[in-house]
Amino acid sequence: MDVNDARFEDDGRLLQLMIAGEEHGFVALYQKYQGPVYRFSLHICGIRHIAEDVTQETFLSLIRTPQNYHFDRGPLLLYLFGIARRLVWKTAGRERLYEEFDNDRELPVSLPDFADDFARQHEAMRLRQAILSLPRKYREVIVLCSLQELSYEEAAVVVGSAIGTVRSRMHRARQLLLRKLTEGGSEVAAARSDSFLRYGRGLDYDL
Amino acid sequence: MTCDEFEQDLVDSSRCRSGGDGWLLRASKAAVIQAHVENCPVCAKKMAEATRLQDALDRLRASTMHLRAPAAVERNLLDAFRQQAARRRTSVGRASGWRFVWLSAAALVLLAAGLRLYSSLPTKSPLKSENNSKGSKLEIQLPSSPGLSGAAKEAFRKDAGALADNPVTVSSRRVARADKPISRRLARNAAIPPSDEFFLNGGGSVVRVTLPFSSLTAMGLPVRPDLSDTRVTADVWMDPFGAVVGIRLVPAGARAD
């Protein structure tokens, strides 16, 4: 996904329409970006209703304070990712104190054709679990770069870090993912559950 | 290529994009990397793992591309947007109303300030200097007054005819009473016609007096401070009640009647 693509050039016009109260301006922006924002939130937190809430709150923020977005700071999608990132960590951290995670319930209900066999579904599930078991700083860069197809530069804008930091985190995230995937599904699930509990107690960890 | 260089290349160029600039697809590096991994089983293993992971991530991305937020989210957001738009319209209308009030108030203030400034400006002197063959003469010029009765006009014309030759020689003159006296207020504001004469309406008299210039300030005439003690001769028009209605300054060399 190249956010500098021509598809994004009219974001400013749509935003102006939205600010002027034109509903179709907002609808166009929502239709354009709700998918990426929702998927980003879902990949980060793994909980569907949190992803829905985060998506809603992200666009509500755009509705209420559109003036907070500045074109010179990057494309609108990166701004939305930044809002969603803050919200998802805030919401997920709050909810994890009270709620037990249910993998089966929260995973996507359908997979496309290439993953229609059991092995690939199982692989996808393991990969999702492995991603969700990553520490926060590694998880968000792997989601942004590998699942949202942002470049390092764009991911650096979203997470507010230097490009070099994103690059090194990405490398470390890949190493962690490979290790978790080769260790086996049961270990990944255990690691995920362990990280979940530690995060819930507010004790962030670093592998 | 060394193993460290391979590792660094893996870090630097293992871009997230599956196509285009992914490190495995970079043609410039492909040959060098391939040559290295053929001779280095450790790096070959790393390369295989990275490829496998990238493929898995690509499949996961593709498997979730269809995911969208539920329609309920869009409905909620549209409701919120409409409410926000309505609030903005209301606030804009309220702001316009306040803007109108403030502009009106500002206009009134400016008008008041303008009037005050205008009133504080030095008024145009009612004294008009005129030179003629018979010497200089100062005459009070007041605005013309409408509503003078026909009898008053007739009295003026009679008086004006008598005084036309020497308007400054009138020392005291009883003037004809008008058949219909005008009010005291009108008489105070009545004009002395733009001729050489006083117009006496509703009775009264003209008295020649000598008084200091400073006395003229009480009649609303501007007086220079350095001339306030200078005495001046003037014909004063007094109404039947003794109030001063008009005044005409008489040059010092003017002959009395």
Side-chain angles (χ1 to χ4, degrees):
Chain A
M1 182 183 299
D2 184 1
V3 292
N4 294 316
D5 193 273
R7 292 175 297 163
F8 299 93
E9 287 180 356
D10 59 348
D11 284 354
R13 185 179 56 83
L14 293 175
L15 197 62
Q16 291 302 319
L17 285 173
M18 192 196 85
I19 292 172
E22 298 289 340
E23 191 171 304
H24 64 89
F26 169 71
V27 170
L29 283 175
Y30 178 76
Q31 294 294 341
K32 199 174 189 178
Y33 295 127
Q34 62 103 352
V37 170
Y38 176 72
R39 288 193 295 274
F40 168 76
S41 306
L42 187 61
H43 284 309
I44 290 287
C45 69
I47 303 175
R48 186 163 296 181
H49 78 266
I50 290 182
E52 293 171 7
D53 289 347
V54 166
T55 304
Q56 181 166 306
E57 288 299 318
T58 300
F59 282 94
L60 270 179
S61 174
L62 185 65
I63 289 172
R64 287 170 182 156
T65 54
Q67 68 275 9
N68 286 357
Y69 168 65
H70 301 284
F71 284 96
D72 53 348
R73 295 186 191 169
L76 180 61
L77 179 60
L78 301 187
Y79 173 72
L80 295 175
F81 276 153
I83 298 175
R85 171 179 171 268
R86 283 196 309 272
L87 289 171
V88 76
W89 290 124
K90 183 179 171 185
T91 310
R94 188 172 59 235
E95 297 222 354
R96 278 172 175 175
L97 290 171
Y98 309 105
E99 185 174 309
E100 190 64 31
F101 187 78
D102 183 351
N103 286 326
D104 295 331
R105 178 168 60 86
E106 303 298 343
L107 284 175
V109 292
S110 63
L111 295 171
D113 295 340
F114 73 86
D116 56 354
D117 58 276
F118 176 79
R120 286 192 170 177
Q121 285 191 26
H122 184 64
E123 179 202 58
M125 184 179 299
R126 283 179 57 207
L127 182 56
R128 286 180 59 86
Q129 289 172 343
I131 291 172
L132 289 171
S133 71
L134 288 174
R136 164 180 170 164
K137 60 185 179 184
Y138 301 127
R139 197 188 317 174
E140 59 189 18
V141 294
I142 203 85
V143 168
L144 286 170
C145 291
S146 291
L147 300 180
Q148 297 295 331
E149 296 184 280
L150 297 188
S151 66
Y152 290 160
E153 292 83 355
E154 291 161 351
V157 171
V158 175
V159 301
S161 300
I163 296 174
T165 304
V166 172
R167 183 184 290 113
S168 63
R169 286 181 184 175
M170 188 69 182
H171 180 62
R172 179 67 174 150
R174 287 173 176 273
Q175 289 180 329
L176 288 173
L177 276 181
L178 282 171
R179 199 173 79 188
K180 290 174 185 296
L181 289 172
T182 53
E183 282 172 351
S186 58
E187 293 179 13
V188 167
R192 194 209 175 284
S193 176
D194 189 38
S195 69
F196 161 72
L197 291 175
R198 278 188 282 179
Y199 185 87
R201 290 197 299 269
L203 301 174
D204 203 357
Y205 67 98
D206 196 354
L207 295 176
Chain B
M1 173 179 273
T2 65
C3 291
D4 286 343
E5 289 172 343
F6 174 83
E7 187 78 21
Q8 188 59 42
D9 199 50
L10 184 66
V11 173
D12 290 342
S13 55
S14 59
R15 305 295 296 268
C16 48
R17 303 180 196 288
S18 57
D21 55 355
W23 74 280
L24 294 176
L25 302 178
R26 290 205 318 179
S28 60
K29 289 280 184 181
V32 179
I33 290 170
Q34 189 62 34
H36 177 75
V37 297
E38 284 177 357
N39 299 317
C40 179
V42 177
C43 291
K45 185 183 176 188
K46 286 181 182 175
M47 183 176 175
E49 288 174 341
T51 305
R52 188 160 56 90
L53 179 61
Q54 188 61 52
D55 290 345
L57 288 169
D58 288 345
R59 284 194 294 271
L60 179 59
R61 186 185 68 250
S63 72
T64 54
M65 281 299 289
H66 66 287
L67 293 176
R68 295 283 188 277
V73 173
E74 183 172 359
R75 283 196 299 273
N76 294 339
L77 287 169
L78 278 178
D79 289 343
F81 178 81
R82 287 166 187 149
Q83 289 173 7
Q84 182 79 10
R87 270 198 297 273
R88 279 196 183 130
R89 277 193 293 271
T90 305
S91 63
V92 167
R94 196 175 297 144
S96 300
W98 278 110
R99 191 177 300 129
F100 175 76
V101 169
W102 281 111
L103 286 176
S104 302
L108 285 175
V109 168
L110 285 175
L111 181 63
L115 288 174
R116 185 171 179 80
L117 181 65
Y118 178 76
S119 64
S120 67
L121 287 176
T123 55
K124 185 179 178 182
S125 173
L127 297 178
K128 178 183 176 185
S129 177
E130 181 182 332
N131 291 318
N132 55 26
S133 58
K134 297 176 180 177
S136 65
K137 178 183 65 177
L138 292 176
E139 179 180 324
I140 300 173
Q141 296 289 337
L142 297 176
S144 62
S145 173
L148 296 178
S149 67
K153 290 177 181 177
E154 182 61 29
F156 163 72
R157 277 194 291 273
K158 193 185 293 180
D159 193 50
L163 298 175
D165 293 336
N166 187 4
V168 299
T169 60
V170 179
S171 59
S172 175
R173 180 182 298 275
R174 305 295 296 180
V175 295
R177 289 183 175 278
D179 57 347
K180 186 179 178 184
I182 59 174
S183 69
R184 183 186 177 95
R185 180 171 179 272
L186 178 60
R188 285 185 180 280
N189 296 321
I192 295 177
S195 65
D196 294 338
E197 310 307 328
F198 284 126
F199 168 60
L200 305 181
N201 181 44
S205 60
V206 175
V207 179
R208 172 158 295 183
V209 296
T210 300
L211 68 168
F213 259 120
S214 57
S215 301
L216 299 180
T217 58
M219 303 173 191
L221 299 177
V223 175
R224 283 168 49 191
D226 55 339
L227 297 176
S228 59
D229 293 329
T230 305
R231 301 189 71 80
V232 62
T233 303
D235 290 331
V236 177
W237 172 18
M238 303 182 72
D239 70 2
F241 302 97
V244 175
V245 178
I247 187 169
R248 176 172 58 193
L249 302 182
V250 179
R255 183 172 54 87
D257 197 24

